[in-house]
Amino acid sequence: MGKTLTFLGIESSCDDTAAAVVRHDDGRAAAILSSVVAGQSAVHAAFGGVVPELAARAHVEKLDRCAEAALGEAGLRLEDLDGVAVTAGPGLIGGLLAGVMFAKGLAAGAGLPLIGVNHLAGHALTPRLTDGIGFPYLILLVSGGHCQFLVVRGAERFTRLGGTIDDAPGEAFDKVARLLGLPQPGGPAVEAEAAAGDPARFALPRPLLDRPGCDLSFSGLKTAVLRARDEAAARDGGLRRQDRADLCAAFQAAVAEVLAGKARRALAAFLAERPAEPVFAVAGGVAANGAVRSALQAAAAAAGARFLAPPLPLCTDNAAMIAWAGIERFRLGHADDLALSARPRWPLDTAAPALVGGGRKGARA
Ligand code: KG4
Ligand code: ZN
């Protein structure tokens, strides 16, 4: 049995500066002692997307205050820690560098071990932090920057069953919101509009659903919404409120159906391995969507798998997942030193073929 470990986690790979303290008594449930997230939406609001240079500067300004707040909320001092974990990739290079440099200084100054963590591993290992589940399990990471099915076999062993070949679903929600004049982030805005809409009025495609495998595509769906919007506007002399609601409902239904269809395939592949207690988990901002969540839950139930969705603050970007992934890596004997470098691209499954488009932008993870 290993000793109790208390780690500070640092996250700055996109537009959230975050710090958290997690304690783990080996053999017991982990405890999140604090989790501080400072967003940057005001910094980027005028630009319609994250501006990398502004994001990096904002991280530099906020990192020390976030870390101080996380330690303060946990009632701990630096010397009470057993290690510092930091997101070293994938993500925006400026933000990653800010976090890695900050963590290096902190760890070196306090004489603590330093662990570089893959941001996607942080998301993928979250169900172990929240629910203490064992390996292996299936997870769908679905957010503004990523969309992939992974079998999580160990803290450093992942098999990618498939992923998006172009946009991530959250990105598609955000673009559709822009097309329809709705505010950002688009997901919650589209979901709210969809509540008053008829999902059957506009026929939208179900990209790649007819093809084998677990790969997904969302950019054609967004283009189909654009076309349907223009047709409706031309017919009615402008886009009416009901048109917008119906388009949102149709788009949301298409995303949910595609994700659930591919989830059924991923579940079948995973269950063929005969896991003892099959779990299908989901993480990422899009998991907040009610229609998506219930479609995925239904897919899990039909396959006889337990469905797990971490609480929303732990589904979206946070540093508790980074502290936890750091503890997991540390228990495997992994430690970094001052040579740790930031990696804008860092696939979890290095044996899987490179994503054609999904990871290309590398901006939001
Ligand atoms: O995981 P996350 O907070 O950040 C990263 O992408 O890293 O996910 C944010 C994404 C955004 O694209 C947002 O529009 C989407 O998740 N999202 C939603 C909902 N809430 C957030 N998409 C659909 N429905 C929602 N309710
Ligand atoms: Zn993320």
Side-chain angles (χ1 to χ4, degrees), residues 119 153 159 173 176 180 206 218 316 321 348 360:
H119 176 90
R153 304 186 186 285
T159 305
F173 267 100
V176 163
L180 299 177
R206 302 290 187 262
F218 294 98
T316 52
M321 68 179 191
L348 275 183
R360 191 178 46 200

Side-chain angles (χ1 to χ4, degrees), residues 13 119-120 123 143 146 315-317 321 365:
S13 65
H119 176 90
L120 302 176
H123 280 303
S143 77
H146 48 83
C315 263
T316 52
D317 287 352
M321 68 179 191

Side-chain angles (χ1 to χ4, degrees), residues 10-168:
I10 304 287
E11 158 65 35
S12 59
S13 65
C14 186
D15 58 348
D16 288 311
T17 316
V21 178
V22 172
R23 175 168 287 165
H24 182 226
D25 203 344
D26 205 5
R28 308 252 304 268
I32 299 171
L33 303 186
S34 63
S35 182
V36 176
V37 180
Q40 306 179 349
S41 40
V43 176
H44 306 287
F47 305 96
V50 177
V51 183
E53 178 63 16
L54 295 181
R57 282 165 196 255
H59 286 307
V60 169
E61 280 167 18
K62 289 179 180 165
L63 275 162
D64 55 351
R65 270 179 279 163
C66 282
E68 217 168 5
L71 282 169
E73 277 180 31
L76 298 176
R77 293 161 308 161
L78 266 182
E79 48 270 37
D80 299 320
L81 297 173
D82 297 298
V84 177
V86 61
T87 303
L92 295 171
I93 187 64
L96 291 171
L97 278 171
V100 167
M101 300 307 274
F102 175 74
K104 278 183 185 176
L106 207 61
L112 291 169
L114 172 72
I115 317 285
V117 165
N118 183 308
H119 176 90
L120 302 176
H123 280 303
L125 295 169
T126 297
R128 287 172 53 74
L129 166 65
T130 54
D131 292 83
I133 60 170
F135 299 116
Y137 55 92
L138 176 70
I139 191 162
L140 168 63
L141 304 185
V142 62
S143 77
H146 48 83
C147 178
Q148 50 185 316
F149 290 100
L150 293 165
V151 177
V152 185
R153 304 186 186 285
E156 296 179 340
R157 286 204 302 136
F158 306 90
T159 305
R160 188 166 67 80
L161 300 180
T164 182
I165 59 165
D166 41 55
D167 290 354

